[in-house]
Amino acid sequence: FFSVATDNVGHVQVRPRTAGADTTTQVPDTTGPTIDRIDLVRDARGKKVLRIVLTFSEPLNEAGAETLANYVLETRKRTRSTPVPLRTPVYDAGTVTLTPVKALSAKKLPTVFLTARGTGTLTDASTNLNRLDGDRDGTPGGDFVRSLSQGATTSRRSRLSRRRASSRCSSWLAC
């Protein structure tokens, strides 16, 4: 569009040949981040889980990503659950690394559950600070809850070549 300006004494701005202004509309980000992958880092013998690495679908707000209250690790047996203490989470380039205070036994993985709270301060880095869509229902604010035995990718800290180590790993994307 064109606009012509006139001041209070009758001066008229010359009409430009082309429009002088561009209008850009930005659509706000309303999609919450999701957890796309869980990697379990094991000791060289593969018997202990040393770290849990969560990969997110988009960059996170660093302060929320590193807030311990946004994550719960617990063992569940029938109706009883026991918290597993965690060190402060570390955020780096779309991943959060959780480190249990005491390494987890690989044999107990079917009873170990991870919860990432979508109702907490775990948000994306957009100006809207969309909360985690942990349950993947398209609405930010849902918790992510998974057993660590649900096909998480595992890697071992050893001198094995990447090819040999990857042959023992399975890939898992959160559903």
Side-chain angles (χ1 to χ4, degrees):
F1 75 89
F2 295 99
S3 65
V4 177
T6 307
D7 64 14
N8 59 355
V9 291
H11 295 106
V12 177
Q13 177 188 9
V14 178
R15 180 178 172 192
R17 291 182 186 192
T18 60
D22 291 326
T23 304
T24 304
T25 304
Q26 283 194 336
V27 178
D29 177 10
T30 58
T31 304
T34 57
I35 296 176
D36 288 343
R37 183 180 173 109
I38 296 178
D39 293 298
L40 304 178
V41 180
R42 297 181 187 222
D43 65 358
R45 294 174 56 196
K47 296 188 178 209
K48 300 277 184 182
V49 174
L50 305 174
R51 288 184 302 283
I52 304 157
V53 181
L54 309 176
T55 303
F56 289 83
S57 60
E58 60 183 295
L60 301 177
N61 172 306
E62 187 173 355
E66 292 185 340
T67 300
L68 185 57
N70 287 327
Y71 310 95
V72 176
L73 195 61
E74 61 188 354
T75 57
R76 295 181 183 173
K77 291 183 182 176
R78 297 185 185 158
T79 59
R80 191 180 76 203
S81 66
T82 305
V84 176
L86 293 170
R87 298 186 193 285
T88 301
V90 176
Y91 176 71
D92 182 40
T95 65
V96 172
T97 301
L98 303 173
T99 305
V101 171
K102 183 179 175 185
L104 301 169
S105 167
K107 289 180 182 180
K108 294 185 180 182
L109 287 182
T111 65
V112 178
F113 284 79
L114 170 68
T115 301
R117 293 191 172 130
T119 54
T121 59
L122 192 53
T123 63
D124 64 14
S126 75
T127 55
N128 291 348
L129 296 176
N130 298 303
R131 290 187 170 152
L132 175 71
D133 181 10
D135 54 8
R136 291 180 169 253
D137 67 353
T139 305
D143 289 350
F144 173 90
V145 181
R146 293 287 185 277
S147 164
L148 292 187
S149 68
Q150 288 184 318
T153 300
T154 60
S155 61
R156 295 186 180 152
R157 286 181 35 181
S158 71
R159 294 182 182 171
L160 293 175
S161 69
R162 284 184 178 251
R163 193 181 75 212
R164 276 187 63 199
S166 66
S167 68
R168 294 187 183 129
C169 298
S170 61
S171 180
W172 177 64
L173 296 177
C175 304

